[in-house]
Amino acid sequence: MKIFFRYILVLCLCGLAGWTDVIARPLRVLYAREAVTNEQRLQYAIDKMVAAIGQPSAVFHFEEASIQKDDVILGLLGTSGDWEKFVPATLLKNLKANESFIVYRKDAVSPLVIVGKEETGLLYGCEEVLKNAFYENKPVSYTDAPEMVLRGTAIGLQKTEYLPGRDVYEYPYTEDLFPWFYDKELWIQYLDMMLENRYNSLYLWNGHPFSSLVKLKDYPYALEVDEKTFAKNEEIYRFLTEEANKRGIWVIQMFYNILLPEPFADKHGLKTQERNRVITPLISDYTRKSIAAFVEKYPNVGLLVTLGEAMEGVGQDDIDWFTKTIIPGVKDGLRAIHSELEPPIILRAHDTDAPAVMKAALPIYQNLYTSAKFNGEALTTYETRGKWAELHQTLGSIGTVHIQNVHILANLEPFRYAAPDFIQKSVKSMHDIHFSNGLHLYPQASYWDWPYAADKTDKRLLQVERDWIWYKAWARYAWKAARPEKEEKIYWSSLLSDYYGLSEKDAMNLLVALDEVGEISPKILRRFGITDGNRQTSSLGMLMTQLINPYRYGLFTLLYESEAPEGEMIIDYAEKQFKGEQHIGETPMRVADEIVAHANKAVQAIQSIQQSAHKNPAEFQRLINDVYIHQALAEHYSFKVKAAIQLLEYKYTQDVESLRKALPDFEKSVHAYKKLTALTTDSYLYANSMQTKQRKIPMRGVDATFKHWTEMLPVFETELHNFQQAIDSIESSTGQPKQERMFLNEKEVAVKADVQYAVLKKGAKLHVDQELVVTHLANELEGMKAVMINSEEQKLHGTTLEFESDQQVKVLVGYFNNADKVFAPKPVLEIDASANDYGQAEAKIRNALRIQYMPMLDIHTYSFPKGKNELKIPKGEALILGFVADDELQHAYNADVDNQGDDMDDLFGYYEETKL
């Protein structure tokens, strides 16, 4: 917000012997003859004061009235006001930051003065006075100002599942899809919550909102909603932005790039989204005109831009799209309304080189911000390090405001998270480690199911009501992070006491329980997990193979390297333990013990208060149940991790007794999971609100399957049973030769290009422009026909291979195990929502092939239907290793061509058709 060098003065003659007394005289509003910048916000503040007093107002100029002792004076600082008459100069000096305010009354016979730096500060000052009952005619000297410039919450116009025929993020704004979006009472409730907590920004997330909100003269067919719905969208969007503005809230519309509306894509024979899409003049023109029309229509609404995920990652295309399409579109919209006031644009540092984009953009557009995820799509630690911390520090040092996005929270849902201590430490870290001065907060759980929580109740619970502590805690510390521990315990226990009708002692015990529970899920994910992304739902548990062989599941190493304290993975710990080497930092065994200790302390704290709530008793019982749920969850993980560490010993000893020793803890983990299932069966509808094919851990959650503990319990029981049988099988088969894998059967396809092939074998040359040869390969690959690649062309342009087949086929694509930019990036769901559209996200054959002087190669498979198809491989070194029938390679495995050791996956067998 601008610093406004003007002021307004409001004088309320209300005879405040007690602010609730009946006032005989009208409220008198006195103001200077200068205009104000945000009249709607100012009037909203006045209206709230008038409503509290219960009398109408009359307007006077400042010079037309004298000040009386029982007056309430409202005003903006400005530069021309003689505020020293009412407020000490030392207090006025505190009004430096936007949104700051002063509340002052010298003594009982002096007027009460509320001064804001600008309209939002004044509004916050009025809120403070109302909250404190006008300070009951007592002397007061109070100043306050925010530390974070932006403090915002997010709401997604998204669904738990894809629409028929659509892909991820593609949701038009309609009443059928989002009835809550048109509910004005619900919006008022939410905006009032934001004002109460002094949030000043509201982010609306959607893949491509423009085709629901604007019409284009040149592309009338791009509109995705009917005329009646479009009119409703205009009306509700106008209502939302106006009501938000009154409360000091800036609405920010998010969108992905490059997404196209379905009717536009169909007309031009394009896909709605395509990661490796070539930027064409048509696509650029449509997008630029969409943004221009939006800015022209809603010039005060900010834009949050995601360049990555739906575009091909990092590169010049991102820079060009931002500087040659998006920013010019914003400027076109400004020219249409003859405005030079740049609306803010927030660049999201997701799957893009944000520092490079900002370097190119700042010379042509000044009002830019940056945003990046705090802990990925989870909450794991308040002390990030490594490359992730370095990215934040780089963005925080550019000179613009850098915003922390607390995103998705896949490891917290669906349970309540109300741990003020962890949240306070996180916000301190945002300042001290990430050089950040803004907060962008996602809902605590059920983001994809807004506005409802996952609780199984007769009437669905609203997130805004259930998770009130979540919103209040982040807002409190975004306003001011460094608050004394003793003061905070008193503050939070007092709120809990008021909300649940608890005694001071009982409320303090509840707070202890909430803080203890708050450590459990972060520690579980950061020390045992596969990823910080929402393809994992850690509250559902993990398969044993996910614990002992995480690389099979596409381990996202940033989780351990940056979003966790220095420490060890389970596989590292087991190896060091066997070799007698010294352990480092936070270990799996330590965390396995700590999470149970946290849970037990929490349960101990609530045992004596379970029937103590005199207010909101049903919600109190749900909160208590969540504590017991976390105890069962902690026990499940603790026992299973200990079993995993023990059975990994077999990798080194080949002694079946190493496996037998793991059985007791393995069995206890299943018993704990049964308790977890019993506690969630009647209390929760689901564990995760994203119920699409992107969900993969612990089980692939296609079509809303494996979303509840009742579905996972049979999996874990089968896993244990298979393991018990495997032990017996190993004992009976000792000394017998190991069974070799069957050769893969090549399938003929008609490739629509002049390509060369190479038969896979040791010594084969797979590039047309290099002499490097195959040194190691899995036996089952022998004889396959690989498409020879021009490595230089592949690195510069990627590969598009058109082919036709008379049956369903899989294409075998080899990706090198190296993150260097010279190699094509593997399909990773953390950064690319389309990374599993063809079943390619999982490496089907790990450690499958090696070419001399090159990293080890994993094989991913792309499944295509019968007919004409197109395979696209991103830029960078990669190989096309052949075509097989689609029913081949149903299950992933480790070929281990370098003989690095058995990964032990076969010990756990199958659950139905899924290899565990």
Side-chain angles (χ1 to χ4, degrees):
M1 299 178 182
K2 294 175 60 180
I3 297 175
F4 307 117
F5 301 109
R6 331 174 198 195
Y7 74 93
I8 186 163
L9 193 63
V10 180
L11 176 60
C12 308
L13 299 176
C14 48
L16 290 178
W19 75 281
T20 56
D21 291 349
V22 176
I23 307 301
R25 290 171 296 178
L27 177 72
R28 296 206 300 161
V29 179
L30 283 79
Y31 62 91
R33 296 183 184 275
E34 303 172 49
V36 295
T37 300
N38 197 315
E39 294 181 4
Q40 294 86 357
R41 195 170 302 162
L42 174 69
Q43 188 61 50
Y44 185 73
I46 295 171
D47 290 345
K48 293 203 78 169
M49 299 296 283
V50 168
I53 295 169
Q55 289 291 331
S57 62
V59 176
F60 297 84
H61 293 303
F62 183 80
E63 62 272 17
E64 296 173 352
S66 60
I67 305 303
Q68 300 179 25
K69 68 176 183 178
D70 53 359
D71 290 342
V72 175
I73 304 172
L74 314 184
L76 304 181
L77 180 63
T79 56
S80 58
D82 191 11
W83 285 105
E84 286 84 353
K85 292 179 179 178
F86 310 111
V87 181
T90 53
L91 285 181
L92 291 171
K93 290 179 181 179
N94 292 320
L95 293 182
K96 296 178 181 179
N98 282 343
E99 303 180 316
S100 58
F101 64 88
I102 295 170
V103 178
Y104 180 75
R105 181 190 282 128
K106 182 179 179 181
D107 50 43
V109 295
S110 298
L112 179 66
V113 181
I114 309 169
V115 186
K117 173 70 173 178
E118 30 61 84
E119 287 90 344
T120 307
L122 177 61
L123 177 59
Y124 290 162
C126 291
E127 288 280 304
E128 192 71 18
V129 167
L130 294 175
K131 183 174 66 176
N132 289 281
F134 286 79
Y135 294 93
E136 299 176 342
N137 274 1
K138 296 177 183 177
V140 59
S141 178
Y142 180 77
T143 66
D144 213 349
E147 290 176 344
M148 283 192 166
V149 174
L150 289 175
R151 307 169 305 282
T153 63
I155 291 177
L157 279 96
Q158 323 248 21
K159 305 293 287 183
T160 60
E161 57 190 10
Y162 296 168
L163 298 182
R166 296 274 196 157
D167 213 331
V168 63
Y169 307 133
E170 296 181 21
Y171 302 103
Y173 290 11
T174 69
E175 283 190 287
D176 288 341
L177 292 177
F178 306 108
W180 58 265
F181 184 65
Y182 304 86
D183 187 335
K184 293 182 179 180
E185 290 185 5
L186 185 61
W187 273 124
I188 293 298
Q189 179 186 7
Y190 188 80
L191 295 173
D192 284 347
M193 178 279 293
M194 293 185 70
L195 174 57
E196 178 186 343
N197 290 300
R198 298 179 188 168
Y199 285 113
N200 64 4
S201 42
L202 170 61
Y203 297 81
L204 301 178
W205 281 64
N206 185 267
H208 189 75
F210 307 117
S211 55
S212 296
L213 297 173
V214 295
K215 294 179 183 179
L216 302 181
K217 178 182 177 181
D218 293 341
Y219 304 101
Y221 50 85
L223 188 67
E224 288 199 272
V225 298
D226 58 43
E227 291 294 334
K228 182 178 179 182
T229 299
F230 181 74
K232 290 181 178 179
N233 289 348
E234 287 185 308
E235 199 274 332
I236 195 65
Y237 212 83
R238 188 177 300 111
F239 167 83
L240 172 59
T241 53
E242 288 176 356
E243 291 297 325
N245 175 61
K246 292 176 186 176
R247 293 163 176 81
I249 299 165
W250 162 38
V251 175
I252 303 164
Q253 180 65 64
M254 176 270 181
F255 62 101
Y256 282 94
N257 294 279
I258 304 172
L259 263 69
L260 301 174
E262 189 176 62
F264 178 92
D266 289 347
K267 182 175 179 63
H268 294 285
L270 300 168
K271 294 181 179 179
T272 53
Q273 53 183 297
E274 185 177 7
R275 182 168 172 82
N276 301 311
R277 189 196 301 278
V278 175
I279 299 174
T280 66
L282 172 68
I283 293 172
S284 179
D285 186 65
Y286 162 72
T287 306
R288 178 171 175 169
K289 286 176 177 173
S290 295
I291 293 169
F294 182 82
V295 171
E296 180 180 356
K297 194 172 187 178
Y298 304 106
N300 296 320
V301 176
L303 295 173
L304 171 61
V305 179
T306 298
L307 292 176
E309 189 157 339
M311 287 181 70
E312 184 188 345
V314 177
Q316 187 62 39
D317 280 356
D318 287 8
I319 296 174
D320 289 345
W321 187 251
F322 194 59
T323 59
K324 296 180 181 180
T325 295
I326 293 176
I327 291 177
V330 173
K331 290 187 173 183
D332 291 346
L334 293 177
R335 276 192 291 271
I337 56 175
H338 308 289
S339 173
E340 296 181 357
L341 184 62
E342 294 179 342
I345 303 176
I346 302 173
L347 173 67
R348 185 174 174 228
H350 174 64
D351 189 32
T352 190
D353 186 349
V357 175
M358 287 292 285
K359 183 178 179 180
L362 278 169
I364 61 174
Y365 199 90
Q366 296 299 303
N367 201 10
L368 295 177
Y369 298 73
T370 57
S371 173
K373 296 173 183 175
F374 178 52
N375 285 168
E377 296 177 342
L379 188 63
T380 60
T381 182
Y382 41 79
E383 292 182 335
T384 56
R385 57 194 178 92
K387 292 181 180 179
W388 195 237
E390 291 170 7
L391 171 65
H392 283 284
Q393 290 162 2
T394 299
L395 295 174
S397 302
I398 287 176
T400 58
V401 173
H402 180 50
I403 303 164
Q404 296 294 293
N405 179 201
V406 181
H407 194 86
I408 292 292
L409 293 314
N411 68 321
L412 303 185
E413 71 171 352
F415 314 124
R416 291 155 181 78
Y417 190 90
D421 182 64
F422 200 102
I423 293 172
Q424 182 180 22
K425 290 173 181 174
S426 296
V427 178
K428 287 180 179 178
S429 170
M430 292 174 178
H431 289 292
D432 299 339
I433 298 178
H434 287 179
F435 306 165
S436 182
N437 203 24
L439 172 71
H440 173 183
L441 182 71
Y442 261 48
Q444 187 263 298
S446 301
Y447 164 76
W448 305 90
D449 198 18
W450 181 269
Y452 302 112
D455 299 76
K456 191 175 182 180
T457 53
D458 292 337
K459 182 181 179 181
R460 295 291 301 273
L461 301 183
L462 294 175
Q463 294 179 38
V464 68
E465 295 174 355
R466 190 197 82 153
D467 299 322
W468 63 275
I469 296 181
W470 172 261
Y471 289 108
K472 192 170 289 292
W474 287 101
R476 179 172 175 82
Y477 299 121
W479 184 270
K480 181 181 178 182
R483 300 175 187 264
E485 180 180 358
K486 184 177 180 181
E487 172 187 303
E488 292 311 283
K489 289 187 181 301
I490 294 172
Y491 173 81
W492 289 109
S493 62
S494 175
L495 287 182
L496 291 169
S497 176
D498 290 344
Y499 190 81
Y500 292 114
L502 300 172
S503 69
E504 182 179 336
K505 180 181 177 182
D506 288 348
M508 192 64 76
N509 280 330
L510 181 57
L511 179 61
V512 169
L514 296 178
D515 278 330
E516 291 292 340
V517 164
E519 295 284 348
I520 295 173
S521 288
K523 286 186 175 180
I524 285 174
L525 187 67
R526 78 189 190 204
R527 195 48 56 201
F528 312 140
I530 299 295
T531 173
D532 68 2
N534 60 15
R535 65 183 169 104
Q536 173 166 7
T537 305
S538 59
S539 66
L540 284 175
M542 292 173 66
L543 300 177
M544 185 61 81
T545 52
Q546 291 163 352
L547 295 173
I548 68 171
N549 187 19
Y551 289 100
R552 166 184 162 185
Y553 296 91
L555 178 68
F556 194 64
T557 56
L558 192 70
L559 173 63
Y560 290 91
E561 295 165 354
S562 288
E563 295 162 359
E566 183 180 17
E568 298 171 0
M569 296 171 57
I570 291 172
I571 54 177
D572 299 327
Y573 180 90
E575 181 178 4
K576 287 187 175 185
Q577 191 74 1
F578 177 76
K579 293 179 179 179
E581 297 175 354
Q582 185 174 354
H583 296 291
I584 298 174
E586 186 179 75
T587 66
M589 188 64 79
R590 186 179 107 190
V591 169
D593 289 334
E594 286 179 353
I595 57 175
V596 172
H598 287 307
N600 290 343
K601 288 179 183 177
V603 168
Q604 184 179 7
I606 63 166
Q607 280 182 337
S608 64
I609 68 171
Q610 295 185 43
Q611 305 302 321
S612 300
H614 299 295
K615 294 169 62 178
N616 298 307
E619 175 59 19
F620 184 73
Q621 290 305 316
R622 288 189 285 265
L623 181 60
I624 294 297
N625 191 56
D626 275 3
V627 174
Y628 284 107
I629 283 173
H630 278 90
Q631 184 184 45
L633 182 67
E635 289 175 350
H636 166 69
Y637 267 103
S638 181
F639 286 128
K640 196 157 190 176
V641 166
K642 290 176 179 177
I645 291 169
Q646 173 57 49
L647 66 85
L648 276 169
E649 185 181 278
Y650 177 75
K651 185 173 183 178
Y652 307 102
T653 66
Q654 296 298 300
D655 183 351
V656 71
E657 190 59 28
S658 297
L659 302 179
R660 286 201 179 280
K661 289 179 180 177
L663 267 175
D665 280 332
F666 205 160
E667 291 168 344
K668 290 175 184 175
S669 76
V670 175
H671 179 70
Y673 202 86
K674 289 180 179 177
K675 290 197 296 182
L676 176 60
T677 303
L679 289 165
T680 55
T681 296
D682 295 324
S683 58
Y684 281 99
L685 297 169
Y686 55 76
N688 43 9
S689 60
M690 188 182 75
Q691 297 163 9
T692 68
K693 61 186 177 182
Q694 289 176 276
R695 276 195 47 246
K696 296 179 72 66
I697 300 166
M699 295 285 281
R700 188 163 180 256
V702 179
D703 298 328
T705 55
F706 296 107
K707 66 180 182 180
H708 200 278
W709 299 265
T710 52
E711 295 173 277
M712 283 304 305
L713 179 58
V715 178
F716 292 134
E717 289 175 327
T718 301
E719 180 186 50
L720 173 60
H721 176 71
N722 292 348
F723 179 67
Q724 292 167 328
Q725 287 191 320
I727 293 175
D728 296 336
S729 177
I730 290 171
E731 286 185 323
S732 63
S733 62
T734 301
Q736 296 182 12
K738 189 174 182 180
Q739 186 176 358
E740 295 289 339
R741 293 189 181 274
M742 299 289 290
F743 282 93
L744 294 173
N745 294 313
E746 180 82 32
K747 291 298 176 185
E748 291 292 333
V749 300
V751 176
K752 307 299 182 182
D754 184 15
V755 298
Q756 300 180 49
Y757 295 95
V759 176
L760 284 181
K761 62 182 179 179
K762 289 185 179 179
K765 190 178 75 158
L766 304 184
H767 296 93
V768 297
D769 61 337
Q770 291 186 27
E771 299 301 319
L772 303 178
V773 299
V774 175
T775 61
H776 299 74
L777 82 161
N779 292 336
E780 56 272 26
L781 295 174
E782 288 270 3
M784 293 285 294
K785 287 196 306 182
V787 176
M788 296 186 73
I789 295 292
N790 183 311
S791 64
E792 288 305 312
E793 286 292 316
Q794 171 65 34
K795 282 186 280 190
L796 288 173
H797 305 295
T799 292
T800 298
L801 190 72
E802 296 181 353
F803 65 92
E804 188 171 357
S805 172
D806 60 2
Q807 62 180 295
Q808 294 180 345
V809 294
K810 281 190 173 84
V811 185
L812 278 55
V813 178
Y815 288 98
F816 292 94
N817 286 325
N818 192 299
D820 191 285
K821 292 181 181 179
V822 72
F823 300 105
K826 291 184 176 185
V828 176
L829 280 166
E830 280 77 8
I831 59 174
D832 177 10
S834 65
N836 202 44
D837 285 357
Y838 304 94
Q840 75 271 33
E842 182 178 30
K844 285 298 173 62
I845 312 179
R846 302 181 309 284
N847 302 309
L849 184 146
R850 186 186 288 280
I851 295 175
Q852 64 186 135
Y853 312 128
M854 299 284 275
M856 183 61 72
L857 180 144
D858 289 347
I859 293 177
H860 294 243
T861 62
Y862 290 67
S863 292
F864 290 96
K866 181 175 68 173
K868 296 180 180 179
N869 292 291
E870 185 178 74
L871 168 71
K872 287 194 173 185
I873 302 175
K875 290 177 282 190
E877 289 267 22
L879 295 172
I880 301 174
L881 297 171
F883 302 81
V884 298
D886 195 49
D887 59 2
E888 296 240 39
L889 293 175
Q890 292 295 310
H891 307 294
Y893 65 91
N894 180 17
D896 192 30
V897 298
D898 271 357
N899 296 313
Q900 296 300 310
D902 183 8
D903 59 21
M904 302 173 63
D905 284 16
D906 290 340
L907 293 172
F908 307 98
Y910 291 79
Y911 178 78
E912 297 177 350
E913 299 299 317
T914 301
K915 182 174 173 58
L916 299 178

